[in-house]
Amino acid sequence: EDQFFCLHRSRMHLPLARLGKTPLTEEERSWLAPQDRDGGHNLQSWNISNPIFLYDMTQMKEDSYWEQLADFLQVSHIPNTRYRGSKGKEQSHKDLCDPYYDAFRSVMMP
């Protein structure tokens, strides 16, 4: 059967697994990269300890995305009224030095 995308060939799951956010059993490691010479057993875990916010870019057009991101960053609100989901047209530029973004900056640049 023809497939438009070959996501299994993109191997996006490997960088996510390397973050080390969940422990992997030997069986789970064998599923990660079965075609690799080592079968995926030598995948390095970076054991990242800080929280990670994963999202799909298509979620950015939804208000719930911005609310969840604000919760994750522990800020009350992230302005998103000028967000444009187009392919680079009419990109809005935010001045993060503006006092309006003080709370956001305090989280992102401690």
Side-chain angles (χ1 to χ4, degrees), residues 7-26:
L7 292 179
H8 66 280
R9 291 178 57 197
S10 70
R11 300 166 55 95
M12 290 183 285
H13 58 289
L14 295 177
L16 289 173
R18 280 188 195 102
L19 294 174
K21 298 306 267 183
T22 57
L24 297 171
T25 65
E26 286 299 313

Side-chain angles (χ1 to χ4, degrees), residues 6 10-11 13-14 16 28 30-31 44 47 49 56-57 63 70-71 80 82 84-85 90 97 100 104-105 107:
C6 296
S10 70
R11 300 166 55 95
H13 58 289
L14 295 177
L16 289 173
E28 289 169 328
S30 70
W31 296 338
Q44 292 179 340
N47 294 318
S49 60
D56 181 295
M57 289 182 63
D63 286 338
D71 287 345
N80 65 325
R82 295 189 309 184
R84 302 286 187 270
E90 299 179 32
C97 295
Y100 187 75
F104 178 74
R105 277 195 322 277
V107 172

